[in-house]
Amino acid sequence: MSHVVRYRSGDGPVRIGVLADGQVRPVADVESLGALLALPLDEVRRQVEGAAAGAPVAVADVRLLPPVDGLTEVWASGVTYSRSMDARVEESQVQDVYSRVYDAERPELFLKSVAWRVVTDGDPIAVRPDCAVTVPEPELAVVVTAGAEVFGYVVSDDVSSRDIEGENPLYLPQAKVYAGSCALASGIRPAWEVPDPMALGITCTVTRGGATVFEGTTSTAQMRRSLPELVTYLVAAQDFPEGAILSTGTGIVPELDFTLAAGDVVTITVDEVGSLANPVVTIDVAREFARR
């Protein structure tokens, strides 16, 4: 299994590489992931596969960074699984909004994060101090080029404040966009290495004090919408000159009596794609981390 990564060796420059078998090999002549995604897909694939000829460095000797930079944005989809619809109806004071969008022709899409706000494996995710119910939302994210071609897939956690969104759908940006609310695994799995993205198992585990306090599973086979459909709506009326990452919604939603708490660890795995693990912290800690 190989992954495209952003990484840094010591105090050196950030580079783009391919991680496989515990070693990272640089992608030649590419200064950023955004620059790579600006290329046509056939050229992107040529560059990625050409990294096999590069000099390797052990992954233990580098720092892996969030797989997004430059002008690349992270967007997200809502209510793409029946479980997500059921949960939103349960929590919301405006229930028909969610049942209607689940069956509607147009999906729910929203801007989740700009590149510099994204965290990755081992980095903190956060709970807002002004909300009572915060949950992880384990998702498969699609990485698309500037030409809207699917380049790869990455594990995503669309951390959400359920009670804020439930109070009023217009509060969705506050429920979804804050320090420590968007986590992506460090590696992007190339699309040509994933046999069927609509048949991937997804698991999420939350541990607290070493004990499991939540565990859930789903599969992308249960999605209401196809990945090409979501990408088509994403690019329908705007350009992404350095590509985009689109998180495709969750089918794992805890019951309303569960909330994340500082000290928890959230671990998400998507078959054939990878895994993502993040400690949960307070918003002050997450904001300080973002300033580094």
Side-chain angles (χ1 to χ4, degrees), residues 6-29:
R6 294 175 65 240
Y7 70 98
R8 172 178 277 142
S9 298
D11 295 328
V14 175
R15 305 194 69 176
I16 308 303
V18 176
L19 169 60
D21 300 322
Q23 295 185 318
V24 181
R25 297 177 185 272
V27 176
D29 303 321

Side-chain angles (χ1 to χ4, degrees), residues 12 22-23 50 57 65 72 103 114 128 132 139 142 177 179-180 209-210 215 230 239 249 254 258 270 292:
Q23 295 185 318
V57 58
L65 304 170
T72 306
D103 292 318
V114 292
R128 288 184 64 123
E139 305 184 10
V142 181
V177 183
E215 189 169 22
L230 294 173
D239 295 325
F258 175 85
V270 179
R292 297 181 185 178

Side-chain angles (χ1 to χ4, degrees), residues 126-179:
V127 291
R128 288 184 64 123
D130 55 350
C131 97
V133 183
T134 300
V135 293
E137 293 197 3
E139 305 184 10
L140 173 71
V142 181
V143 184
V144 298
T145 67
E149 300 170 291
V150 176
F151 160 60
Y153 307 99
V154 64
V155 183
S156 169
D157 189 354
D158 171 20
V159 186
S160 301
S161 302
R162 285 188 73 181
D163 56 326
I164 292 179
E165 181 182 0
E167 182 179 349
N168 190 316
L170 295 179
Y171 295 159
L172 182 139
Q174 297 173 75
K176 294 284 191 177
V177 183
Y178 59 88

Side-chain angles (χ1 to χ4, degrees), residues 146-226:
E149 300 170 291
V150 176
F151 160 60
Y153 307 99
V154 64
V155 183
S156 169
D157 189 354
D158 171 20
V159 186
S160 301
S161 302
R162 285 188 73 181
D163 56 326
I164 292 179
E165 181 182 0
E167 182 179 349
N168 190 316
L170 295 179
Y171 295 159
L172 182 139
Q174 297 173 75
K176 294 284 191 177
V177 183
Y178 59 88
S181 67
C182 181
L184 298 175
S186 57
I188 298 171
R189 186 81 194 279
W192 54 87
E193 295 185 7
V194 178
D196 185 359
M198 296 304 295
L200 304 177
I202 302 175
T203 63
C204 177
T205 303
V206 180
T207 57
R208 182 174 297 161
T212 298
V213 293
F214 172 77
E215 189 169 22
T217 63
T218 190
S219 168
T220 55
Q222 298 180 26
M223 288 183 65
R224 161 75 171 77
R225 301 178 186 274
S226 71

